[in-house]
Amino acid sequence: CGNNTPNINYTGVIEGETHTISSPFSDRLIVLNVSEGDWVNRGDVLGNIDDSSLILNLKALHSSSDQLQLQEKDAEISLEQINETFEHYNSMYQKNLSLLKEEAVSDQTVRDLKLQVDKWNRDRRSAGIKLQVLKSQQESIQFQIEQVEDTRAKAVLIASSDGYIDKIYFELEEFLPPLRPIMDLVNLDNVWCYIYMSELELAAVSPGDPVEGRVADYLFTGEVRHINSRSEFSPKEILSPDNRKALVYAVKISFKNPEKILKLGMPIDVYLKNSTKKTSNE
């Protein structure tokens, strides 16, 4: 039975994936559907932020958009009239320019027509620029509308994964500062802990090595996920068999947790099974 007995024992503290639900803007928390410790599913509505100020902002933006649409139509009609007038004078100018060669019209008549052509051509360019400015302003307002609508959609607080509510930082009807955490949602599907090993112990361990974890009578399968490439001073709370070593390497151990037995902050005994690897001294 000695071959099946783990020979390297450590203790770690369970960590997990934490999703922070934040406030995208400043306003009151008007709906809170959960309490600390509640289990939720991905997509569940956790609460609502008051979005009445965003609704008013949207109304103002839509009103501005409607006004610009009317101005655009007026500018298009004006540009169409100016183009027609320009084409009329330009046509007359070209005809009289031909007649001038035959001395059928006076030079002054041609000059007057040329002045009209130049004037309406300038007006045509000016009206075209004005129309482009109005279209650009309309695009800017549409962009602002999309931004406000996107922010308003975030007023509904949605669970980003399955898990449980670990902490809630604000009470109902409290004012939320922008981008401040409202609550933490913990996903327990995949959890991990860190153990700390000396340089000599580290030689027998590689990423992917199988690991066992025990909490009371529960047994968990895991593996070495990552080994830090730099050493550090032993943390005070941890946790190596020989704590006389001043420098240790953090080793991340991941565990499957399908029944959600492992929780954040729970201590777990980690067993690295007998390894067939040999150190350089062997």
Side-chain angles (χ1 to χ4, degrees):
C1 61
N3 293 332
N4 296 323
T5 303
N7 66 342
I8 307 178
N9 180 15
Y10 297 84
T11 302
V13 176
I14 291 297
E15 300 179 39
E17 182 181 349
T18 301
H19 300 260
T20 299
I21 311 298
S22 301
S23 169
F25 56 93
S26 298
D27 221 303
R28 294 180 304 114
L29 181 64
I30 58 174
V31 175
L32 185 60
N33 296 328
V34 293
S35 301
E36 291 182 353
D38 286 353
W39 288 86
V40 298
N41 297 317
R42 181 184 179 90
D44 285 352
V45 176
L46 308 178
N48 292 82
I49 304 172
D50 187 3
D51 63 350
S52 55
S53 60
L54 296 178
I55 294 175
L56 292 175
N57 193 7
L58 279 175
K59 288 181 177 180
L61 288 170
H62 282 296
S63 176
S64 297
S65 177
D66 293 341
Q67 291 178 12
L68 280 175
Q69 287 180 359
L70 293 175
Q71 292 179 32
E72 279 185 50
K73 290 180 180 179
D74 183 65
E76 289 172 352
I77 293 172
S78 177
L79 179 59
E80 184 178 354
Q81 292 174 341
I82 291 173
N83 282 331
E84 290 176 355
T85 304
F86 168 78
E87 293 297 336
H88 169 71
Y89 279 106
N90 190 49
S91 176
M92 290 183 60
Y93 170 69
Q94 296 298 330
K95 289 179 180 179
N96 281 269
L97 194 62
S98 298
L99 293 174
L100 180 63
K101 295 178 181 179
E102 301 174 1
E103 297 183 354
V105 295
S106 66
D107 182 64
Q108 185 63 43
T109 300
V110 174
R111 289 180 181 178
D112 291 342
L113 288 172
K114 182 63 168 63
L115 289 174
Q116 289 296 323
V117 169
D118 291 343
K119 171 190 178 300
W120 288 105
N121 192 35
R122 288 192 300 270
D123 290 349
R124 182 175 67 166
R125 291 199 300 269
S126 177
I129 292 173
K130 179 181 179 181
L131 182 59
Q132 289 300 318
V133 169
L134 292 173
K135 289 182 180 295
S136 178
Q137 291 175 345
Q138 183 68 267
E139 290 178 358
S140 177
I141 287 181
Q142 291 302 319
F143 177 71
Q144 293 178 57
I145 289 173
E146 291 176 4
Q147 282 187 316
V148 175
E149 288 177 342
D150 180 67
T151 302
R152 188 187 171 198
K154 295 175 182 176
V156 181
L157 307 177
I158 303 296
S160 53
S161 72
D162 298 342
Y164 73 94
I165 304 300
D166 183 39
K167 293 181 181 178
I168 298 178
Y169 300 99
F170 291 91
E171 299 292 338
L172 193 64
E173 295 297 332
E174 279 192 314
F175 188 85
L176 305 174
L179 305 179
R180 287 287 300 275
I182 301 173
M183 62 186 76
D184 290 336
L185 171 63
V186 176
N187 184 346
L188 294 178
D189 290 334
N190 294 289
V191 296
W192 62 87
C193 73
Y194 283 93
I195 62 174
Y196 295 84
M197 307 179 69
S198 68
E199 181 179 352
L200 292 177
E201 296 164 337
L202 198 66
V205 179
S206 298
D209 283 355
V211 174
E212 286 185 356
R214 288 183 181 273
V215 176
D217 294 331
Y218 295 98
L219 177 65
F220 303 90
T221 59
E223 67 176 30
V224 176
R225 177 64 62 181
H226 180 262
I227 300 174
N228 280 9
S229 58
R230 294 186 178 183
S231 61
E232 55 189 277
F233 288 102
S234 299
K236 293 180 180 180
E237 68 273 20
I238 307 288
L239 303 162
S240 64
D242 186 1
N243 57 16
R244 293 173 298 176
K245 302 294 183 181
L247 293 176
V248 291
Y249 292 81
V251 178
K252 184 178 181 180
I253 308 294
S254 64
F255 292 100
K256 296 180 180 179
N257 191 31
E259 298 180 3
K260 312 297 188 295
I261 295 173
L262 295 175
K263 309 295 192 301
L264 267 62
M266 180 182 289
I268 184 171
D269 293 327
V270 179
Y271 298 91
L272 276 66
K273 295 184 177 181
N274 288 320
S275 176
T276 59
K277 299 182 179 68
K278 294 182 179 294
T279 66
S280 58
N281 294 328
E282 296 177 317

